[in-house]
Amino acid sequence: MGQGLWRIARNQQLQQQGYSGQGYLTREHGRRLATNNVSNTSHRKQAQGGIDIYHLLKTRKSKEQEGFINLEMLPPELSFTILSYLNATDLCLASCVWQDLANDELLWQGLCKSTWGHCSIYNKNPPLGFSFRKLYMQLDEGSLTFNANPDEGVNYFMSKGILDDSPKEIAKFIFCTRTLNWKKLRIYLDERRDVLDDLVTLHNFRNQFLPNALREFFRHIHAPEERGEYLETLITKFSHRFCACNPDLMRELGLSPDAVYVLCYSLILLSIDLTSPHVKNKMSKREFIRNTRRAAQNISEDFVGHLYDNIYLIGHVAA
């Protein structure tokens, strides 16, 4: 503080004399110097805990002038690791500065496979001039097209050689992709039952509790909003797949695909009953056991009771 006051006094003296170290100053210039010094002093007076805010701001400004770290000066492994955390948009921006690093094929290959886990083109010899960056743009364009019109989207993927014209390949693509609109996907699967069949077989429900397996199934293949033939088809396909994945459990419990179908329908109705705000009188555990065993008599009371507890504690199976 003493040095600051000394500088103010010295500047005032120079202002009165109209003199600086490099020559005479006008009175107006002298007034500006005095004002700047007072402003700097006020910054110092606002310092708390012994921290010189003026000094911090000056240091910060000098660091900003130094610029960003040049990734090209780092080891390649470290540079690629840093860039691997960027999304496609940020990676394109980074390529404006570090063109060779940000355009590396391994980075774009990772982005493609992390978003679209399966494409037929992954398992083929790449054509001349192939680029994963270009493939990413095509996959993104195809996904947007699918979300507007599913048939046109699938045709786009096939026209670019990204997908083979095979229900199994289309099913794998859908199973490993999370950027597709679920409402459009539901419409597409309702029309393409051959793709739906292959998509169901990709699920593995081994050693899973029935309500949890049903939740996983409906996360990939969304249930329709209303009951109807399509919902019945989904439950039928799930029941057969669940039994195929758990043959020992089915023998132990004495369950058949028809019995699992009844249980799944009961779980859906129970989920609606317990979660809907419009249902005032919720179904009790005793009522659920009685109604379910009436439809499937070979099911044990304890097993049905565990089903009720799962829905009551975790929630809807098709949410």
Side-chain angles (χ1 to χ4, degrees):
M1 180 63 72
Q3 293 180 355
L5 294 176
W6 180 85
R7 291 194 185 98
I8 295 175
R10 178 59 178 168
N11 288 329
Q12 289 177 347
Q13 181 181 0
L14 292 175
Q15 179 187 359
Q16 293 174 357
Q17 296 176 355
Y19 176 82
S20 68
Q22 297 178 352
Y24 289 92
L25 298 174
T26 62
R27 292 183 178 273
E28 182 64 22
H29 196 178
R31 282 196 294 270
R32 290 178 182 176
L33 283 176
T35 303
N36 290 336
N37 284 323
V38 172
S39 177
N40 292 339
T41 304
S42 65
H43 281 297
R44 294 189 178 93
K45 289 182 178 180
Q46 294 174 2
Q48 297 177 0
I51 300 176
D52 192 336
I53 296 180
Y54 173 76
H55 177 71
L56 291 177
L57 292 175
K58 185 176 180 180
T59 305
R60 178 180 177 183
K61 184 177 180 181
S62 63
K63 288 184 177 181
E64 290 176 351
Q65 292 174 349
E66 293 176 1
F68 296 99
I69 298 175
N70 188 356
L71 295 182
E72 294 179 346
M73 303 300 294
L74 300 177
E77 304 84 11
L78 181 57
S79 300
F80 287 134
T81 301
I82 294 173
L83 293 175
S84 67
Y85 287 96
L86 302 181
N87 57 31
T89 302
D90 293 337
L91 197 56
C92 287
L93 294 175
S95 66
C96 298
V97 181
W98 303 289
Q99 185 174 1
D100 293 336
L101 289 173
N103 288 332
D104 189 88
E105 283 291 278
L106 289 177
L107 291 175
W108 287 98
Q109 181 181 1
L111 280 176
C112 289
K113 293 188 175 182
S114 63
T115 309
W116 299 275
H118 175 83
C119 293
S120 303
I121 197 172
Y122 293 161
N123 302 319
K124 298 179 181 179
N125 293 325
L128 185 64
F130 175 81
S131 167
F132 274 102
R133 177 171 179 171
K134 181 180 178 181
L135 177 62
Y136 184 96
M137 305 305 174
Q138 291 176 340
L139 285 168
D140 187 57
E141 178 68 22
S143 297
L144 293 175
T145 305
F146 184 97
N147 293 338
N149 188 311
D151 291 326
E152 291 185 4
V154 173
N155 292 333
Y156 176 87
F157 290 129
M158 293 178 183
S159 66
K160 299 298 183 180
I162 298 173
L163 277 181
D164 292 339
D165 189 3
S166 164
K168 188 174 182 179
E169 286 296 301
I170 299 174
K172 287 182 179 180
F173 175 79
I174 293 173
F175 185 78
C176 299
T177 302
R178 298 292 176 268
T179 60
L180 305 179
N181 182 275
W182 64 270
K183 292 183 178 180
K184 298 295 184 179
L185 182 59
R186 185 172 62 191
I187 296 173
Y188 180 78
L189 293 176
D190 191 12
E191 297 174 351
R192 292 292 304 269
R193 298 299 176 90
D194 54 343
V195 177
L196 177 61
D197 290 337
D198 287 313
L199 184 58
V200 172
T201 59
L202 294 175
H203 290 81
N204 184 9
F205 303 121
R206 183 172 178 80
N207 296 329
Q208 291 192 31
F209 193 37
L210 181 60
N212 296 334
L214 198 58
R215 288 189 185 93
E216 180 183 334
F217 179 74
F218 283 132
R219 272 197 296 268
H220 288 91
I221 307 174
H222 293 271
E225 298 176 354
E226 299 178 356
R227 303 179 199 175
E229 185 270 338
Y230 181 57
L231 178 60
E232 294 176 358
T233 300
L234 291 180
I235 298 176
T236 301
K237 293 182 181 298
F238 168 82
S239 302
H240 284 84
R241 182 59 182 168
F242 185 82
C243 292
C245 292
N246 300 279
D248 297 335
L249 179 63
M250 295 301 101
R251 284 194 297 268
E252 180 182 347
L253 298 176
L255 296 177
S256 64
D258 292 337
V260 174
Y261 177 92
V262 173
L263 291 177
C264 291
Y265 229 109
S266 300
L267 290 173
I268 293 175
L269 295 177
L270 177 64
S271 299
I272 297 173
D273 185 274
L274 294 181
T275 59
S276 175
H278 304 291
V279 179
K280 301 300 180 181
N281 299 320
K282 305 295 184 181
M283 184 182 297
S284 66
K285 186 174 182 179
R286 184 179 297 275
E287 291 174 336
F288 177 74
I289 294 174
R290 183 179 67 249
N291 296 338
T292 303
R293 296 194 68 197
R294 188 179 299 168
Q297 299 178 358
N298 295 331
I299 303 174
S300 68
E301 183 175 337
D302 290 339
F303 182 74
V304 180
H306 292 322
L307 296 177
Y308 182 93
D309 294 338
N310 183 278
I311 303 301
Y312 184 83
L313 296 174
I314 298 180
H316 207 304
V317 293

